[in-house]
């Protein structure tokens, strides 16, 4: 209905008995934190996933990175960061990072500081392709954009970098989310400050490596 004018909307509405706002459905259905949907609720293409798993086979921890969302989103300047903010991650041993970053922000990988990162973005034509790659990875680290939600819906481990917004979707002061049990949240302490978030992720990656040994 979004792209229709008022007359068209009125005509369409006459064919329905009831209308309800999408965001009112949880209240109507008596949804609580304990009764939200189960994951995974989507699956990747099995053949594509197997192909990527074979191609990306390595003894290293395989981590996909997304540092920016759609620049046309009104809060993008807050929720997205620069790849240079993630430079401390590149100092970690036995981790292979892969760029899943599409769009102009993906060009930031051309910096010599990120020579060790493998860029997969040119092979990601749609979410089906991205889902298949995610299934072949051990972890996705992303700002709050579509890839984070895709990984969560697939039931894959995903660490989401949240800007200082207190978005209702992530509740308050939590490091987890009922929407996606495999998602871990890393929150800014002040708006625009990513250093603390990245420092926390560095520590978490080191701990993860220890637990996998």
């Amino acid at each position: 209905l979004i792209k229709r004018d008022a007359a068209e909307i009125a005509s369409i509405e006459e064919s329905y008995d009831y209308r309800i706002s999408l965001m009112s459905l949880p209240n109507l259905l008596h949804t609580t934190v304990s009764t939200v949907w189960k994951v995974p609720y989507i699956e990747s293409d099995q053949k594509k996933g197997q192909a990527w798993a074979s191609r990306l086979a390595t003894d290293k921890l395989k981590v996909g990175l997304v540092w920016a969302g759609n620049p046309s989103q009104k809060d993008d300047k807050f929720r997205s960061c620069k790849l240079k903010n993630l430079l401390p991650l590149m100092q970690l041993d036995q981790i292979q990072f892969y760029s899943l970053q599409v769009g102009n922000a993906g060009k930031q990988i051309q910096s010599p500081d990120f020579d060790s990162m493998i860029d997969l973005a040119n092979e990601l034509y749609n979410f089906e392709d991205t889902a298949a790659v995610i299934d072949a990875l051990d972890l996705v680290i992303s700002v709050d954009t579509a890839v984070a939600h895709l990984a969560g819906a697939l039931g894959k481990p995903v660490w989401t970098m949240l800007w200082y917004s207190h978005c209702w979707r992530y509740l308050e002061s939590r490091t987890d989310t009922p929407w996606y049990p495999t998602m871990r949240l890393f929150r800014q302490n002040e708006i625009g400050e990513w250093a603390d978030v990245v420092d926390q992720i560095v520590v978490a990656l080191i701990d993860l490596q220890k637990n996998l040994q």
Side-chain angles (χ1 to χ4, degrees):
L1 297 177
I2 293 176
K3 295 183 179 180
R4 301 177 185 270
D5 60 31
E8 288 180 301
I9 292 174
S11 175
I12 292 171
E13 287 177 345
E14 288 180 358
S15 64
Y16 294 91
D17 296 315
Y18 300 98
R19 183 185 67 167
I20 185 168
S21 169
L22 178 65
M23 300 307 292
S24 295
L25 282 173
N27 180 58
L28 179 68
L29 299 174
H30 306 291
T31 302
T32 67
V33 168
S34 62
T35 62
V36 295
W37 58 68
K38 306 298 181 183
V39 297
Y41 57 85
I42 60 174
E43 297 178 350
S44 66
D45 182 277
Q46 189 173 13
K47 289 185 178 180
K48 287 186 177 182
Q50 290 173 346
W52 277 111
S54 176
R55 177 176 165 183
L56 302 184
T58 176
D59 292 333
K60 295 182 178 181
L61 188 70
K62 302 185 291 293
V63 180
L65 295 180
V66 178
W67 54 91
N70 187 336
S72 66
Q73 203 258 18
K74 67 182 181 69
D75 290 323
D76 185 66
K77 64 180 180 181
F78 302 113
R79 58 111 180 227
S80 294
C81 68
K82 301 295 185 182
L83 180 55
K84 64 182 181 182
N85 293 118
L86 304 182
L87 187 57
L89 304 184
M90 301 299 111
Q91 313 308 315
L92 297 174
D93 295 327
Q94 294 304 306
I95 300 179
Q96 179 60 62
F97 291 101
Y98 300 90
S99 171
L100 309 181
Q101 180 64 58
V102 298
N104 287 332
K107 297 177 182 178
Q108 296 170 28
I109 197 176
Q110 296 172 4
S111 166
D113 291 329
F114 298 95
D115 284 344
S116 62
M117 191 189 306
I118 298 175
D119 189 1
L120 302 180
N122 289 334
E123 299 181 66
L124 305 180
Y125 300 104
N126 50 47
F127 282 128
E128 181 181 69
D129 294 331
T130 305
V133 172
I134 289 174
D135 255 346
L137 299 175
D138 298 309
L139 172 67
V140 172
I141 299 175
S142 174
V143 293
D144 184 18
T145 190
V147 174
H149 296 275
L150 178 61
L154 288 164
K156 295 290 291 186
V158 53
W159 294 356
T160 304
M161 304 167 58
L162 295 180
W163 66 283
Y164 192 75
S165 66
H166 297 291
C167 176
W168 65 268
R169 293 176 298 170
Y170 297 107
L171 305 179
E172 187 174 2
S173 303
R174 290 179 61 148
T175 58
D176 66 340
T177 168
W179 306 110
Y180 308 115
T182 58
M183 181 178 287
R184 181 174 175 181
L185 306 177
F186 294 82
R187 299 172 179 267
Q188 282 187 348
N189 293 318
E190 59 181 280
I191 196 166
E193 180 53 65
W194 290 109
D196 288 344
V197 172
V198 174
D199 287 346
Q200 293 174 44
I201 290 175
V202 167
V203 172
L205 282 171
I206 293 173
D207 288 342
L208 178 60
Q209 288 179 297
K210 290 179 179 177
N211 292 333
L212 293 176
Q213 290 177 351

